[in-house]
């Protein structure tokens, strides 16, 4: 009997404590409701204006290069480039009309400078004579960090595997449409590249991404980079830091002009 009375008393104390706690939370809430003033309606448009920081003004030169870009090819020389295979002077041909052309057999060329995430603009034109089929017609390519290729190919009325045509992320992403112009016309690529990131122990912590605009048309919409763009086999994900921009010598005399880059922070 004594035990039962004790148990009942204990229960009574617990219930009463709980009630007190609930009451104090309710009281607290009520107090907050009373002290928080009602949101006042915004009627002045100025109240939602933000003035700082002010974006820096960018100007443009006669060929529309933004003043905060690095000109990788200005039509006069290949000073920003070296041969990929032996780091010697890039041996592609500079033409009198301020364009350059792949010199087949001399190999890929790459920038001296290394880059992380970037915006890249380049203009290219397929070889003057339409020759070859599929991957053999007007093939070149622009690589980011020496690992990730956006395909350059004369894909005008030239069928090949879809994840290998112009503006494909080679063997990873098919372009949304084929915006390739015929070989007698210059074409633009505007590419936003976000670098993948890796932890100190070499694991990929965030995938990179590509957005590609071809002749003003969106063809890759922030697609995930699955790893290096391999000719044979699946993508690889070896850790790396910044790397050069590389242009491919695929034995076809593809023309280039007006290449510039802006680093993204
Ligand atoms: Mg290629």
């Amino acid at each position: 009997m004594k035990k039962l009375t004790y148990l009942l008393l204990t229960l009574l104390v617990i219930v009463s404590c709980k009630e007190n706690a609930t009451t104090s939370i309710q009281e607290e809430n009520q107090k907050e409701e009373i002290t928080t003033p009602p949101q006042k309606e915004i009627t002045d448009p100025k109240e939602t204006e933000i003035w700082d920081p002010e974006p820096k003004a960018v100007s443009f030169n006669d060929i529309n290069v933004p003043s905060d870009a690095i000109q990788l090819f200005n039509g006069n020389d290949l000073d920003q480039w070296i041969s990929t295979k032996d780091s010697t002077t890039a041996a592609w041909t500079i033409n009198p009309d301020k364009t350059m052309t792949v010199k087949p057999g001399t190999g890929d060329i790459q920038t001296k400078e290394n880059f992380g995430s970037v915006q890249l603009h380049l203009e290219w034109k397929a070889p003057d004579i339409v020759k070859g089929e599929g991957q053999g017609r007007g093939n070149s390519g622009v690589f980011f960090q020496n690992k990730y290729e956006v395909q350059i190919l004369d894909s005008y009325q030239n069928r090949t595997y879809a994840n290998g045509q112009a503006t494909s992320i080679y063997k990873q992403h098919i372009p949304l449409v084929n915006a390739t112009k015929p070989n007698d016309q210059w074409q633009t690529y505007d590419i936003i590249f976000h670098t993948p990131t890796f932890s100190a122990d070499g694991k990929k912590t965030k995938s990179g991404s590509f957005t590609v605009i071809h002749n003003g048309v969106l063809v890759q919409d922030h697609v995930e980079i699955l790893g290096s763009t391999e000719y044979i086999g699946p993508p690889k994900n070896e850790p790396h830091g910044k790397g050069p921009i590389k242009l491919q010598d695929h034995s076809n005399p593809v023309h280039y002009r007006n290449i510039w880059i802006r680093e993204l922070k």
Side-chain angles (χ1 to χ4, degrees):
M1 189 63 189
K2 240 183 180 182
K3 261 188 184 173
L4 190 65
T5 315
Y6 181 73
L7 197 68
L8 277 171
L9 271 172
T10 314
L11 269 172
L12 212 62
V13 168
I14 291 170
V15 168
S16 136
C17 277
K18 261 195 171 174
E19 265 176 12
N20 280 347
T22 317
T23 318
S24 79
I25 289 167
Q26 279 169 351
E27 275 169 4
E28 205 54 42
N29 285 347
Q30 274 168 1
K31 220 193 274 171
E32 215 166 280
E33 270 168 37
I34 294 159
T35 51
T36 311
Q39 284 273 317
K40 90 175 163 64
E41 196 190 343
I42 295 173
T43 53
D44 182 355
K46 282 193 165 50
E47 285 193 48
T48 44
E49 291 175 1
I50 298 169
W51 283 66
D52 291 302
E54 182 188 2
K56 263 191 187 166
V58 166
S59 58
F60 299 88
N61 70 7
D62 54 343
I63 53 166
N64 247 349
V65 179
S67 53
D68 63 351
I70 299 167
Q71 261 190 293
L72 293 179
F73 178 61
N74 60 10
N76 298 319
D77 54 61
L78 283 167
D79 288 359
Q80 306 269 5
W81 303 81
I82 49 170
S83 157
T84 296
K85 64 179 173 204
D86 56 14
S87 299
T88 56
T89 309
W92 291 10
T93 309
I94 305 277
N95 305 304
D97 65 354
K98 296 200 159 207
T99 64
M100 71 162 152
T101 306
V102 176
K103 197 173 189 177
T106 59
D108 302 345
I109 62 170
Q110 67 185 49
T111 55
K112 290 176 181 170
E113 202 173 325
N114 291 326
F115 299 97
S117 299
V118 292
Q119 171 188 359
L120 180 88
H121 172 90
L122 70 77
E123 297 172 27
W124 65 276
K125 191 157 79 75
D128 304 336
I129 299 162
V130 179
K131 209 171 98 181
E133 296 298 327
Q135 295 289 309
R137 185 186 298 178
N139 194 335
S140 184
V142 54
F143 286 73
F144 293 74
Q145 299 179 331
N146 234 333
K147 289 175 182 300
Y148 312 112
E149 182 184 15
V150 178
Q151 176 69 300
I152 288 171
L153 190 77
D154 181 1
S155 286
Y156 183 76
Q157 297 179 352
N158 176 36
R159 198 71 222 284
T160 184
Y161 44 95
N163 62 355
Q165 69 181 70
T167 69
S168 62
I169 309 309
Y170 189 70
K171 293 204 170 163
Q172 292 185 24
H173 295 288
I174 297 168
L176 297 168
V177 290
N178 180 0
T180 314
K181 292 179 177 179
N183 77 314
D184 60 347
Q185 292 178 42
W186 282 94
Q187 326 212 21
T188 58
Y189 274 13
D190 288 283
I191 302 170
I192 315 295
F193 166 76
H194 284 281
T195 182
T197 53
F198 299 87
S199 61
D201 62 349
K203 300 250 159 49
K204 187 164 81 172
T205 47
K206 196 177 174 202
S207 291
S209 69
F210 272 122
T211 297
V212 182
I213 295 171
H214 184 190
N215 297 327
V217 175
L218 179 68
V219 288
Q220 298 286 357
D221 187 5
H222 196 69
V223 295
E224 180 186 359
I225 297 168
L226 307 173
S228 56
T229 51
E230 300 291 327
Y231 177 46
I232 300 171
K236 294 190 178 104
N237 282 287
E238 283 152 17
H240 63 85
K242 289 183 172 187
I245 301 293
K246 183 173 85 177
L247 297 175
Q248 187 184 42
D249 169 11
H250 204 283
S251 305
N252 300 150
V254 173
H255 309 291
Y256 286 96
R257 71 178 184 191
N258 194 17
I259 307 173
W260 52 258
I261 196 164
R262 296 175 68 247
E263 273 203 274
L264 307 175
K265 301 291 175 224

